């Protein structure tokens, strides 16, 4: 049974996020809903397919969630034939060819040498990134704190955004915990003690789980940060955002 179906409370919370307007959250949500085979999750995926079909990675994310055995005609009409793209997405590789990805990277890297607007970059951060990242007290501490990014090479920062699964920051791998009571929890492992562990979910909420109540705990190889961020940030956007981070 998919892990998301083990907890009605978690499923309801995940489904409620279809009302979000941040495209990055919506794409990650589509992937997460694949961990449920309930009618409620299917309806949520159908809602995402109809309301956000213009997002380049949304169709791929939903197709990946549905898997090879999807027979839902309504979803199939909305999604089209994207099985090959879905396979590439689940392996963490770019859905474009190496040559196309290199061209995309070059376009974004080239924008770093143009005129940039740090103030606009801050506005873009608050709109696009603050839902998961913290910088100088702005945003949420779900993913890595980006305050120290000013010390990193700008070209590396571009690569991190375009290919988030290339290298997952130490301490920020997504963990799944299955309890002996049958509940499944997902989030970042933010603390470990002899008798318990602490997980932080996408909303920033933390939960302490006793070790003697854990049946299994595993780290996933996929970043919480979704691929396809170029859908929300064009080269000038990312250049401005990096200029602000570097201040």
């Amino acid at each position: 049974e998919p892990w998301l179906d083990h907890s009605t409370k978690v499923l309801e919370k995940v489904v409620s996020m279809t009302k979000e307007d941040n495209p990055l959250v919506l794409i990650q949500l589509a992937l997460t809903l694949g961990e449920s085979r309930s009618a409620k999750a299917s309806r949520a995926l159908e809602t995402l397919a109809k309301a956000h079909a213009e997002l380049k990675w949304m169709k791929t994310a939903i197709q990946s969630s549905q898997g090879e055995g999807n027979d839902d005609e309504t979803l199939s009409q909305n999604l089209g034939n994207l099985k090959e793209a879905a396979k590439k997405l689940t392996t963490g590789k770019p859905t474009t060819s190496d040559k196309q990805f290199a061209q995309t990277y070059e376009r974004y890297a080239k924008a770093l040498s143009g005129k940039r607007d740090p103030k606009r970059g801050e506005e873009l951060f608050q709109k696009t990134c603050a839902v998961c990242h913290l910088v100088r007290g702005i945003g949420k501490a779900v993913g890595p704190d980006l305050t120290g990014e000013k010390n990193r090479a700008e070209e590396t920062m571009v690569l991190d955004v375009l290919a988030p699964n290339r290298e997952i920051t130490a301490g920020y791998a997504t963990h799944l915990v299955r309890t002996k009571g049958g509940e499944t929890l997902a989030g970042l492992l933010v603390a470990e003690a002899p008798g318990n562990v602490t997980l932080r979910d996408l909303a920033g909420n933390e939960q302490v789980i006793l070790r003697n109540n854990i049946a299994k705990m595993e780290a996933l190889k996929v970043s919480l940060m979704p691929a396809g961020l170029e859908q929300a940030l064009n080269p000038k956007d990312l250049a401005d955002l990096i200029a602000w981070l570097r201040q």
Side-chain angles (χ1 to χ4, degrees):
E1 183 180 9
W3 70 264
L4 193 55
D5 290 336
H6 291 182
S7 172
T8 301
K9 184 184 296 185
V10 173
L11 176 59
E12 289 179 350
K13 185 172 183 179
V14 170
V15 169
S16 71
M17 294 178 71
T18 55
K19 298 177 182 178
E20 290 278 344
D21 56 6
N22 188 310
L24 308 185
V25 173
L26 292 170
I27 291 169
Q28 182 63 46
L29 175 61
L31 290 168
T32 301
L33 285 168
E35 296 298 333
S36 172
R37 289 295 175 264
S38 68
K40 183 175 292 186
S42 294
R43 288 194 296 271
L45 283 170
E46 186 175 337
T47 296
L48 290 174
K50 290 180 177 179
H52 302 286
E54 78 284 356
L55 295 180
K56 183 176 66 174
W57 286 74
M58 179 58 74
K59 292 182 179 181
T60 303
I62 298 176
Q63 183 67 48
S64 175
S65 289
Q66 289 296 291
E68 296 291 330
N70 176 36
D71 293 322
D72 190 311
E73 292 185 7
T74 302
L75 272 175
S76 295
Q77 291 172 0
N78 283 315
L79 301 178
N81 184 16
L82 293 164
K83 291 183 179 180
E84 187 61 32
K87 287 180 182 177
K88 293 180 180 179
L89 180 65
T90 56
T91 61
K93 298 177 182 177
T95 58
T96 56
S97 68
D98 290 342
K99 182 177 180 180
Q100 289 174 316
F101 181 77
Q103 291 173 343
T104 298
Y105 171 77
E106 288 299 325
R107 284 194 297 108
Y108 277 77
K110 184 177 181 180
L112 297 173
S113 60
K115 184 177 181 180
R116 293 192 273 173
D117 184 351
K119 181 175 177 57
R120 179 172 176 270
E122 179 180 2
E123 295 172 354
L124 287 165
F125 173 83
Q126 294 193 44
K127 178 181 178 181
T128 307
C129 311
V131 66
C132 289
H133 291 287
L134 188 68
V135 174
R136 298 187 286 273
I138 300 173
K140 293 183 179 180
V142 177
D145 187 329
L146 302 181
T147 302
E149 288 293 284
K150 62 182 179 181
N151 299 317
R152 300 183 69 231
E154 294 188 338
E155 291 78 6
T156 301
M157 294 165 69
V158 169
L159 188 58
D160 288 344
V161 171
L162 297 180
N165 293 326
R166 178 184 66 91
E167 182 178 353
I168 299 175
T169 303
Y172 287 93
T174 305
H175 282 70
L176 289 183
V177 172
R178 292 179 174 83
T179 69
K180 293 179 180 178
E183 187 176 11
T184 302
L185 306 169
L188 299 178
L189 183 64
V190 295
E192 289 189 272
N196 60 67
V197 299
T198 303
L199 289 185
R200 179 184 296 146
D201 64 20
L202 283 171
N205 301 314
E206 295 187 359
Q207 183 167 354
V208 178
I209 308 151
L210 297 177
R211 286 189 182 274
N212 60 15
N213 190 36
I214 296 176
K216 183 179 181 180
M217 182 168 70
E218 58 183 325
L220 304 181
K221 297 180 180 180
V222 178
S223 172
L224 273 179
M225 182 171 166
L229 294 178
E230 65 269 25
Q231 178 66 38
L233 297 169
N234 63 40
K236 178 64 165 60
D237 291 339
L238 186 54
D240 287 348
L241 197 159
I242 291 176
W244 176 68
L245 290 175
R246 298 269 293 179
Q247 286 187 327

